Amino acid sequence: MTPHRTGPQPSPARRRALPALAALTLALAIGAPAHAQQKVKVGLMLPYTGTFAQLGTAITNGFKLAIEENGGKVAGREIEYATLDDESDPAKAADNANRIVNRDKVDVLVGTVHSGVQAGMVKIARETGVLHIIPNAGLDAATGPLCAPNIFRTSFANGQTAYPMGKVLAERGVKNVVTLTWKYAAGDESVAGFKDAFTKGGGRIVKDLTLPFPNVEFQPLLTEIAALKPDAVYVFFAGGGAAKFLKDYQAAGLKGKIPLYGSGFLTDGVLEAVGDAAEGIETTLHYGDAIETPRNRAFRAAYMKAYKIEPDVYAVQGYDAGLLFIAGMNAVGGDVAKKKEMIAAMEKTQIDSPRGKWTMSKAHNPVQDMYLRKVAGKQNRVTGVAAPALDYPPADRCKMGG
Ligand code: PHB
C-alpha cells in the first residue's frame, strides 16, 4: 500500500520549496529559530486493514488525542501526519519503513502492532537513526539485543504481559496447562514468558499448540484440547482473531469446563463483539478499563467524546506515545535536530498514563505494574496487581549502542 499524507497533498519539489523558503525568511527576519516555522512530521506506520485494523486505529486515535490535548501542536510546532497501512505483513515491512522514513522524511516514526513487521521497522530505525516509538508490538528483541538509543517503546515486551499470568496460576496451584497461539514472534514470546513463571512455580506444560498467523480455523485445536483435558488453557490472540477464538471456545462447550487464561489482549477491545463469551475470563495486562483513578476517568471521557467509542489498551499505548514525543520535543524547544538531548529527556520522562505512572527501563521499555483483570460485562475489571513495576525480560539483555 502506498503511503499517503493526511495533511496537505504532496507537491512537486518546487512547490514544496517555496513555502519553506518563505518560512525561513520570515523566521530569520523575526529572529525565531527556522525549525519553529516548519511543521513537524509524524509517520504512522500501522495496520489499517486485516485482523489488527482496529488496533491500528485505536493507536492513531490515542496519539492524536494526546496532541490535541496539547493544543494541537508540539513545542509550538504544527504537525503533519504521514500514514501508511502496513497490513501486518512482515514481508513488506522493511520496504514500507524505508519509504516512510526516506521518501516522506518523517521526524519520528511511530509503529507498529505486529511483531514480525516490527522486526523490519527496527532494522530501518537502526540503519537510519530515525527517532522511533513503538506503540504496541511486543517483539522482545526490540528492547533487548536489538535495542538502540533512538528506539523507544510505550507498550510492553511480549513476555512481560504473560509472565504474570504464569506466576498467578502457579501460585494458585494449577498443575497441567495447554498453551495455544498463532505461530509467530509475539505468540512464541508470550508463551515463553508464561512458561518461565509457571514452570518455575511448579506447573507443567501438557502441550504447546499453534496455528499460522492470522488463521482462525480453531476447531481442530479445540477438539484436541477437549481430548487432552488440561486443568487450564493459556492463549495469546488479539484483535479480530481473539474475538473469534472466544466465541469458538464457548461454542465448543469448553467455557466453564476448562478455564481459559491469556495475556489481556485476549479480552481487550473485543468485549462489544463477543457477547457473554468472555464473561469471567482472567488475564494479565498493564491496563484495565475500570482503573478508578481521576487520570484514567478523564482520559476515557476525552477519548469517548472525541471518537464516540470506548478506549482500550491500544488507545492508551498510542496516547502515551504522544505524551513521550511531546516530552522529548519540549526538552529541545521543538528542534528535532537535537536528537541526543531529546533522547536523554525521553529516557528520564515519567509518563503520567491512564494505566498509572510508568518509567523507561534502560532498554527503553516501560517498567510498569501488571494487573490481574477479570471480565465483567463490557469491562476488564482490575482485581489486583499480579506483578508490580515489572521489567521483563530484564533490561540487561540490551547493550545500548552495541
Ligand atoms: C505483536 O505482534 O507483538 C502483538 C500483536 C497484537 C497484540 C499484542 C502483541 O495485541
Side-chain angles (χ1 to χ4, degrees):
M1 196 149 288
T2 327
H4 60 276
R5 275 176 237 276
T6 50
Q9 288 305 303
S11 46
R14 223 179 106 252
R15 259 176 37 215
R16 245 200 325 256
L18 287 176
L21 194 64
L24 186 64
T25 313
L26 180 70
L28 292 174
I30 62 174
H35 68 259
Q37 309 301 320
Q38 287 160 11
K39 287 187 178 172
V40 62
K41 266 202 185 172
V42 175
L44 298 173
M45 177 168 156
L46 288 159
Y48 294 110
T49 52
T51 201
F52 289 159
Q54 200 184 310
L55 286 57
T57 300
I59 289 166
T60 305
N61 289 346
F63 189 93
K64 290 185 174 175
L65 180 61
I67 304 298
E68 283 312 306
E69 288 182 351
N70 198 48
K73 291 187 176 184
V74 182
R77 293 180 65 183
E78 283 179 16
I79 290 214
E80 178 178 357
Y81 291 101
T83 57
L84 187 152
D85 178 8
D86 68 35
E87 303 166 61
S88 292
D89 185 351
K92 298 181 186 159
D95 280 353
N96 277 337
N98 224 335
R99 207 175 319 150
I100 199 164
V101 172
N102 289 319
R103 195 183 85 175
D104 286 9
K105 306 239 177 295
V106 296
D107 295 305
V108 60
L109 174 63
V110 179
T112 191
V113 168
H114 184 287
S115 276
V117 177
Q118 195 62 57
M121 294 181 80
V122 163
K123 178 173 177 286
I124 300 305
R126 287 173 63 93
E127 281 171 17
T128 60
V130 70
L131 184 65
H132 182 30
I133 303 178
I134 306 170
N136 183 73
L139 182 71
D140 285 350
T143 52
L146 294 178
C147 71
N150 56 315
I151 300 176
F152 288 83
R153 182 151 52 194
T154 59
S155 49
F156 56 87
N158 286 318
Q160 192 180 21
T161 60
Y163 181 92
M165 197 73 252
K167 181 170 164 276
V168 167
L169 292 197
E171 281 166 6
R172 287 183 185 172
V174 174
K175 283 289 170 248
N176 300 309
V177 165
V178 168
T179 72
L180 170 60
T181 180
W182 281 314
K183 181 81 197 139
Y184 82 108
D188 292 345
E189 292 171 0
S190 176
V191 166
F194 172 82
K195 277 188 198 173
D196 184 6
F198 183 60
T199 55
K200 251 192 242 155
R204 194 176 75 89
I205 300 297
V206 180
K207 193 159 186 184
D208 292 318
L209 300 173
T210 61
L211 74 170
F213 175 88
N215 283 13
V216 288
E217 300 304 316
F218 299 121
Q219 207 47 56
L221 298 156
L222 294 172
T223 305
E224 190 168 354
I225 289 171
L228 287 166
K229 295 193 180 56
D231 299 331
V233 177
Y234 172 84
V235 300
F236 167 83
F237 291 114
K244 167 91 166 41
F245 180 77
L246 288 166
K247 285 200 235 161
D248 287 5
Y249 199 81
Q250 184 181 44
L254 293 176
K255 183 166 169 20
K257 259 203 201 134
I258 304 178
L260 176 63
Y261 300 93
S263 54
F265 309 114
L266 179 64
T267 58
D268 241 77
V270 301
L271 296 181
E272 291 292 337
V274 300
D276 62 356
E279 187 65 25
I281 290 180
E282 288 182 290
T283 59
T284 49
L285 204 65
H286 46 288
Y287 184 62
D289 311 306
I291 292 176
E292 289 300 331
T293 57
R295 183 75 179 103
N296 190 41
R297 273 199 293 270
F299 164 75
R300 295 192 71 86
Y303 190 94
M304 183 53 131
K305 185 157 180 248
Y307 305 110
K308 316 285 177 261
I309 186 175
E310 293 284 349
D312 53 20
V313 68
Y314 309 105
V316 171
Q317 293 166 174
Y319 185 74
D320 288 4
L323 295 184
L324 178 67
F325 184 54
I326 291 167
M329 288 286 279
N330 283 344
V332 293
D335 186 356
V336 282
K338 294 184 176 156
K339 203 177 271 175
K340 257 197 163 160
E341 292 96 312
M342 198 168 165
I343 286 171
M346 288 166 73
E347 284 174 333
K348 280 191 223 98
T349 302
Q350 187 193 55
I351 300 291
D352 186 10
S353 167
R355 74 183 91 166
K357 292 191 169 122
W358 61 266
T359 54
M360 279 292 168
S361 76
K362 288 206 166 57
H364 295 181
N365 190 60
V367 178
Q368 55 193 336
D369 290 347
M370 302 302 302
Y371 303 110
L372 180 62
R373 308 124 37 98
K374 188 170 190 166
V375 175
K378 299 286 174 240
Q379 282 192 324
N380 285 287
R381 295 252 167 92
V382 171
T383 56
V385 177
L390 184 65
D391 175 25
Y392 185 93
D396 58 13
R397 291 157 62 256
C398 151
K399 305 283 174 260
M400 202 52 89

